[in-house]
Amino acid sequence: MKAVQFGAGNIGRGFIGLLLSRSGFAVSFVDVNENLVNLLNARKQYEVILANAASDAATVRQVAAINGNDIDQVTRAVAEADLVTTAVGLPVLKAIAAGIASGIELRLQSSIPAPLHIIACENAIGGSTQL
């Protein structure tokens, strides 16, 4: 199973990416922070320190990253995904919508029969509807 997570910040990696990985997804993060994209691609994993009394650590494996400015790569990743999630903040949803839309178009042209689930994990009521 493949997931594309838009936003590789604290919520994207520390919460959504961790949950997706624990659910069996290989996660590709889409972000415009080139240094972070390069680090994720080089290491193919990262560590999350949990906010509990013991400060337990969890390693998230099977990760990759895509520069959000590379629309062709974003389009292909969305087209091939089983799940797309976001954690970018409401104002940024407009900026990522075109890449998601072009991925959906490519998916339809490729006749992939499985549904594509999209969830905006934003701190807002109706975030997915706004996306």
Side-chain angles (χ1 to χ4, degrees):
M1 293 188 302
K2 295 179 182 178
V4 174
Q5 163 58 38
F6 282 82
N10 291 336
I11 301 301
R13 282 180 294 129
F15 180 56
I16 307 303
L18 177 62
L19 290 176
L20 291 172
S21 175
R22 287 184 172 176
S23 298
F25 286 91
V27 182
S28 292
F29 291 95
V30 177
D31 204 286
V32 293
N33 181 329
E34 193 170 332
N35 291 332
L36 181 57
V37 167
N38 292 338
L39 274 172
L40 288 169
N41 283 326
R43 295 181 181 167
K44 304 206 181 310
Q45 66 180 29
Y46 63 93
E47 189 172 79
V48 175
I49 307 298
L50 302 178
N52 60 16
S55 295
D56 294 323
T59 301
V60 179
R61 293 179 170 77
Q62 285 188 289
V63 301
I66 300 165
N67 188 315
N69 295 314
D70 186 341
I71 296 301
D72 290 337
Q73 196 174 5
V74 171
T75 297
R76 284 191 306 275
V78 169
E80 297 170 359
D82 299 292
L83 174 65
V84 172
T85 55
T86 74
V88 295
L90 283 179
V92 181
L93 288 178
K94 292 177 194 172
I96 66 170
I100 294 171
S102 63
I104 292 169
E105 288 176 5
L106 179 58
R107 185 181 185 90
L108 290 171
Q109 292 168 7
S110 302
S111 300
I112 297 171
L116 175 62
H117 303 281
I118 302 173
I119 305 169
C121 305
E122 306 298 336
N123 187 17
I125 295 171
S128 293
T129 301
Q130 290 184 47
L131 175 61

mmCIF file of all heavy atoms in Angstrom, residues 4-10 12-13 28-38 40 64-70 74 87-88 96:
data_model
loop_
_atom_site.group_PDB
_atom_site.id
_atom_site.type_symbol
_atom_site.label_atom_id
_atom_site.label_comp_id
_atom_site.label_asym_id
_atom_site.label_seq_id
_atom_site.Cartn_x
_atom_site.Cartn_y
_atom_site.Cartn_z
ATOM 1 N N VAL A 4 0.660 9.020 0.012
ATOM 2 C CA VAL A 4 1.350 10.274 -0.257
ATOM 3 C C VAL A 4 0.880 11.261 0.794
ATOM 4 O O VAL A 4 -0.321 11.511 0.931
ATOM 5 C CB VAL A 4 1.041 10.800 -1.680
ATOM 6 C CG1 VAL A 4 1.657 12.173 -1.894
ATOM 7 C CG2 VAL A 4 1.539 9.820 -2.726
ATOM 8 N N GLN A 5 1.830 11.800 1.559
ATOM 9 C CA GLN A 5 1.542 12.768 2.614
ATOM 10 C C GLN A 5 2.097 14.115 2.194
ATOM 11 O O GLN A 5 3.308 14.271 2.063
ATOM 12 C CB GLN A 5 2.160 12.305 3.944
ATOM 13 C CG GLN A 5 2.293 13.377 5.002
ATOM 14 C CD GLN A 5 1.000 14.055 5.388
ATOM 15 O OE1 GLN A 5 -0.031 13.417 5.472
ATOM 16 N NE2 GLN A 5 1.045 15.353 5.636
ATOM 17 N N PHE A 6 1.215 15.085 1.955
ATOM 18 C CA PHE A 6 1.637 16.447 1.638
ATOM 19 C C PHE A 6 1.952 17.151 2.948
ATOM 20 O O PHE A 6 1.090 17.299 3.816
ATOM 21 C CB PHE A 6 0.529 17.198 0.891
ATOM 22 C CG PHE A 6 0.436 16.827 -0.561
ATOM 23 C CD1 PHE A 6 -0.252 15.694 -0.953
ATOM 24 C CD2 PHE A 6 1.057 17.601 -1.528
ATOM 25 C CE1 PHE A 6 -0.337 15.335 -2.285
ATOM 26 C CE2 PHE A 6 0.984 17.252 -2.865
ATOM 27 C CZ PHE A 6 0.287 16.112 -3.245
ATOM 28 N N GLY A 7 3.193 17.554 3.103
ATOM 29 C CA GLY A 7 3.670 18.224 4.302
ATOM 30 C C GLY A 7 4.496 17.264 5.142
ATOM 31 O O GLY A 7 3.979 16.253 5.619
ATOM 32 N N ALA A 8 5.780 17.576 5.300
ATOM 33 C CA ALA A 8 6.678 16.722 6.071
ATOM 34 C C ALA A 8 7.151 17.429 7.340
ATOM 35 O O ALA A 8 8.263 17.232 7.804
ATOM 36 C CB ALA A 8 7.874 16.302 5.216
ATOM 37 N N GLY A 9 6.272 18.248 7.897
ATOM 38 C CA GLY A 9 6.595 18.939 9.140
ATOM 39 C C GLY A 9 6.260 18.081 10.350
ATOM 40 O O GLY A 9 6.156 16.855 10.258
ATOM 41 N N ASN A 10 6.081 18.724 11.488
ATOM 42 C CA ASN A 10 5.844 18.003 12.743
ATOM 43 C C ASN A 10 4.601 17.121 12.689
ATOM 44 O O ASN A 10 4.645 15.962 13.114
ATOM 45 C CB ASN A 10 5.719 18.985 13.909
ATOM 46 C CG ASN A 10 7.031 19.656 14.218
ATOM 47 O OD1 ASN A 10 8.090 19.143 13.916
ATOM 48 N ND2 ASN A 10 6.961 20.833 14.824
ATOM 49 N N GLY A 12 2.929 16.158 9.873
ATOM 50 C CA GLY A 12 3.073 15.231 8.753
ATOM 51 C C GLY A 12 3.939 14.036 9.084
ATOM 52 O O GLY A 12 3.559 12.890 8.831
ATOM 53 N N ARG A 13 5.116 14.279 9.666
ATOM 54 C CA ARG A 13 6.008 13.166 9.985
ATOM 55 C C ARG A 13 5.707 12.557 11.353
ATOM 56 O O ARG A 13 5.677 11.340 11.500
ATOM 57 C CB ARG A 13 7.473 13.617 9.956
ATOM 58 C CG ARG A 13 8.021 13.732 8.563
ATOM 59 C CD ARG A 13 9.481 14.174 8.542
ATOM 60 N NE ARG A 13 9.570 15.543 9.042
ATOM 61 C CZ ARG A 13 10.403 15.951 9.991
ATOM 62 N NH1 ARG A 13 11.254 15.129 10.548
ATOM 63 N NH2 ARG A 13 10.399 17.218 10.373
ATOM 64 N N SER A 28 5.332 8.378 1.001
ATOM 65 C CA SER A 28 6.102 9.378 0.263
ATOM 66 C C SER A 28 5.616 10.746 0.718
ATOM 67 O O SER A 28 4.432 11.055 0.598
ATOM 68 C CB SER A 28 5.887 9.242 -1.245
ATOM 69 O OG SER A 28 6.446 8.050 -1.724
ATOM 70 N N PHE A 29 6.533 11.519 1.259
ATOM 71 C CA PHE A 29 6.201 12.878 1.695
ATOM 72 C C PHE A 29 6.414 13.844 0.541
ATOM 73 O O PHE A 29 7.366 13.705 -0.225
ATOM 74 C CB PHE A 29 7.101 13.297 2.868
ATOM 75 C CG PHE A 29 6.832 12.548 4.132
ATOM 76 C CD1 PHE A 29 7.571 11.433 4.457
ATOM 77 C CD2 PHE A 29 5.823 12.953 4.983
ATOM 78 C CE1 PHE A 29 7.327 10.727 5.619
ATOM 79 C CE2 PHE A 29 5.558 12.252 6.147
ATOM 80 C CZ PHE A 29 6.311 11.138 6.468
ATOM 81 N N VAL A 30 5.539 14.824 0.425
ATOM 82 C CA VAL A 30 5.702 15.902 -0.546
ATOM 83 C C VAL A 30 5.924 17.176 0.256
ATOM 84 O O VAL A 30 5.096 17.541 1.094
ATOM 85 C CB VAL A 30 4.461 16.052 -1.459
ATOM 86 C CG1 VAL A 30 4.641 17.230 -2.405
ATOM 87 C CG2 VAL A 30 4.197 14.765 -2.224
ATOM 88 N N ASP A 31 7.060 17.833 0.008
ATOM 89 C CA ASP A 31 7.390 19.052 0.744
ATOM 90 C C ASP A 31 8.277 19.917 -0.133
ATOM 91 O O ASP A 31 8.940 19.406 -1.047
ATOM 92 C CB ASP A 31 8.103 18.694 2.058
ATOM 93 C CG ASP A 31 7.958 19.774 3.115
ATOM 94 O OD1 ASP A 31 8.621 20.825 2.993
ATOM 95 O OD2 ASP A 31 7.167 19.578 4.050
ATOM 96 N N VAL A 32 8.314 21.201 0.147
ATOM 97 C CA VAL A 32 9.144 22.121 -0.633
ATOM 98 C C VAL A 32 10.476 22.416 0.051
ATOM 99 O O VAL A 32 11.320 23.103 -0.522
ATOM 100 C CB VAL A 32 8.406 23.445 -0.954
ATOM 101 C CG1 VAL A 32 7.240 23.200 -1.899
ATOM 102 C CG2 VAL A 32 7.958 24.139 0.316
ATOM 103 N N ASN A 33 10.680 21.877 1.249
ATOM 104 C CA ASN A 33 11.953 22.040 1.953
ATOM 105 C C ASN A 33 12.952 21.051 1.354
ATOM 106 O O ASN A 33 12.942 19.865 1.672
ATOM 107 C CB ASN A 33 11.768 21.793 3.452
ATOM 108 C CG ASN A 33 13.043 21.968 4.243
ATOM 109 O OD1 ASN A 33 14.134 21.716 3.755
ATOM 110 N ND2 ASN A 33 12.896 22.385 5.483
ATOM 111 N N GLU A 34 13.804 21.554 0.470
ATOM 112 C CA GLU A 34 14.716 20.699 -0.287
ATOM 113 C C GLU A 34 15.670 19.917 0.613
ATOM 114 O O GLU A 34 15.955 18.740 0.357
ATOM 115 C CB GLU A 34 15.498 21.545 -1.295
ATOM 116 C CG GLU A 34 16.223 20.724 -2.326
ATOM 117 C CD GLU A 34 16.790 21.582 -3.447
ATOM 118 O OE1 GLU A 34 16.229 22.645 -3.742
ATOM 119 O OE2 GLU A 34 17.803 21.149 -4.028
ATOM 120 N N ASN A 35 16.164 20.545 1.681
ATOM 121 C CA ASN A 35 17.068 19.843 2.600
ATOM 122 C C ASN A 35 16.374 18.665 3.263
ATOM 123 O O ASN A 35 16.943 17.576 3.379
ATOM 124 C CB ASN A 35 17.623 20.792 3.663
ATOM 125 C CG ASN A 35 18.586 21.799 3.083
ATOM 126 O OD1 ASN A 35 19.248 21.545 2.081
ATOM 127 N ND2 ASN A 35 18.663 22.956 3.707
ATOM 128 N N LEU A 36 15.137 18.868 3.698
ATOM 129 C CA LEU A 36 14.372 17.802 4.334
ATOM 130 C C LEU A 36 14.064 16.683 3.340
ATOM 131 O O LEU A 36 14.191 15.498 3.663
ATOM 132 C CB LEU A 36 13.077 18.363 4.924
ATOM 133 C CG LEU A 36 12.160 17.390 5.638
ATOM 134 C CD1 LEU A 36 12.876 16.672 6.773
ATOM 135 C CD2 LEU A 36 10.932 18.129 6.168
ATOM 136 N N VAL A 37 13.692 17.041 2.133
ATOM 137 C CA VAL A 37 13.424 16.043 1.084
ATOM 138 C C VAL A 37 14.674 15.197 0.842
ATOM 139 O O VAL A 37 14.605 13.961 0.795
ATOM 140 C CB VAL A 37 12.950 16.734 -0.222
ATOM 141 C CG1 VAL A 37 12.966 15.769 -1.397
ATOM 142 C CG2 VAL A 37 11.565 17.331 -0.027
ATOM 143 N N ASN A 38 15.824 15.845 0.735
ATOM 144 C CA ASN A 38 17.077 15.120 0.503
ATOM 145 C C ASN A 38 17.427 14.202 1.665
ATOM 146 O O ASN A 38 17.874 13.072 1.460
ATOM 147 C CB ASN A 38 18.219 16.091 0.219
ATOM 148 C CG ASN A 38 18.062 16.802 -1.107
ATOM 149 O OD1 ASN A 38 17.374 16.339 -2.005
ATOM 150 N ND2 ASN A 38 18.690 17.961 -1.237
ATOM 151 N N LEU A 40 15.330 12.805 3.901
ATOM 152 C CA LEU A 40 14.399 11.673 3.928
ATOM 153 C C LEU A 40 14.749 10.657 2.843
ATOM 154 O O LEU A 40 14.705 9.441 3.082
ATOM 155 C CB LEU A 40 12.959 12.158 3.771
ATOM 156 C CG LEU A 40 12.369 12.880 4.979
ATOM 157 C CD1 LEU A 40 11.043 13.540 4.607
ATOM 158 C CD2 LEU A 40 12.186 11.929 6.151
ATOM 159 N N ALA A 64 10.000 7.938 1.595
ATOM 160 C CA ALA A 64 10.664 8.661 0.514
ATOM 161 C C ALA A 64 10.120 10.078 0.546
ATOM 162 O O ALA A 64 9.191 10.374 1.301
ATOM 163 C CB ALA A 64 10.371 7.995 -0.828
ATOM 164 N N ALA A 65 10.681 10.936 -0.255
ATOM 165 C CA ALA A 65 10.206 12.315 -0.302
ATOM 166 C C ALA A 65 10.291 12.843 -1.728
ATOM 167 O O ALA A 65 11.137 12.426 -2.511
ATOM 168 C CB ALA A 65 11.009 13.201 0.639
ATOM 169 N N ILE A 66 9.377 13.748 -2.021
ATOM 170 C CA ILE A 66 9.275 14.377 -3.340
ATOM 171 C C ILE A 66 9.276 15.881 -3.130
ATOM 172 O O ILE A 66 8.557 16.387 -2.251
ATOM 173 C CB ILE A 66 7.957 13.958 -4.035
ATOM 174 C CG1 ILE A 66 7.907 12.437 -4.215
ATOM 175 C CG2 ILE A 66 7.776 14.688 -5.357
ATOM 176 C CD1 ILE A 66 6.520 11.917 -4.543
ATOM 177 N N ASN A 67 10.051 16.579 -3.934
ATOM 178 C CA ASN A 67 10.013 18.034 -3.891
ATOM 179 C C ASN A 67 8.676 18.490 -4.468
ATOM 180 O O ASN A 67 8.328 18.128 -5.597
ATOM 181 C CB ASN A 67 11.178 18.628 -4.686
ATOM 182 C CG ASN A 67 11.287 20.120 -4.513
ATOM 183 O OD1 ASN A 67 10.291 20.842 -4.574
ATOM 184 N ND2 ASN A 67 12.493 20.591 -4.288
ATOM 185 N N GLY A 68 7.927 19.234 -3.700
ATOM 186 C CA GLY A 68 6.606 19.696 -4.113
ATOM 187 C C GLY A 68 6.610 20.557 -5.362
ATOM 188 O O GLY A 68 5.564 20.739 -6.001
ATOM 189 N N ASN A 69 7.764 21.083 -5.740
ATOM 190 C CA ASN A 69 7.866 21.881 -6.963
ATOM 191 C C ASN A 69 8.008 21.022 -8.215
ATOM 192 O O ASN A 69 7.918 21.531 -9.325
ATOM 193 C CB ASN A 69 9.050 22.851 -6.866
ATOM 194 C CG ASN A 69 8.822 23.878 -5.779
ATOM 195 O OD1 ASN A 69 7.749 24.459 -5.673
ATOM 196 N ND2 ASN A 69 9.825 24.091 -4.947
ATOM 197 N N ASP A 70 8.234 19.715 -8.032
ATOM 198 C CA ASP A 70 8.364 18.788 -9.155
ATOM 199 C C ASP A 70 6.981 18.203 -9.449
ATOM 200 O O ASP A 70 6.634 17.114 -9.006
ATOM 201 C CB ASP A 70 9.366 17.685 -8.817
ATOM 202 C CG ASP A 70 9.654 16.762 -9.996
ATOM 203 O OD1 ASP A 70 8.854 16.718 -10.956
ATOM 204 O OD2 ASP A 70 10.683 16.054 -9.931
ATOM 205 N N VAL A 74 5.097 14.611 -8.442
ATOM 206 C CA VAL A 74 3.928 14.662 -7.561
ATOM 207 C C VAL A 74 2.737 13.997 -8.243
ATOM 208 O O VAL A 74 2.026 13.184 -7.655
ATOM 209 C CB VAL A 74 3.591 16.119 -7.154
ATOM 210 C CG1 VAL A 74 2.254 16.202 -6.435
ATOM 211 C CG2 VAL A 74 4.697 16.706 -6.290
ATOM 212 N N ALA A 87 -1.141 17.699 5.595
ATOM 213 C CA ALA A 87 -0.948 18.415 6.858
ATOM 214 C C ALA A 87 -0.056 19.606 6.529
ATOM 215 O O ALA A 87 1.128 19.634 6.837
ATOM 216 C CB ALA A 87 -0.314 17.515 7.919
ATOM 217 N N VAL A 88 -0.653 20.575 5.849
ATOM 218 C CA VAL A 88 0.108 21.720 5.345
ATOM 219 C C VAL A 88 -0.401 23.055 5.873
ATOM 220 O O VAL A 88 0.256 24.071 5.696
ATOM 221 C CB VAL A 88 0.107 21.744 3.797
ATOM 222 C CG1 VAL A 88 0.838 20.548 3.229
ATOM 223 C CG2 VAL A 88 -1.303 21.831 3.240
ATOM 224 N N ILE A 96 -1.313 23.045 -3.188
ATOM 225 C CA ILE A 96 -1.102 21.624 -3.481
ATOM 226 C C ILE A 96 -2.241 21.013 -4.292
ATOM 227 O O ILE A 96 -2.105 19.908 -4.817
ATOM 228 C CB ILE A 96 -0.879 20.802 -2.198
ATOM 229 C CG1 ILE A 96 -2.126 20.775 -1.323
ATOM 230 C CG2 ILE A 96 0.328 21.323 -1.432
ATOM 231 C CD1 ILE A 96 -2.067 19.797 -0.165
#
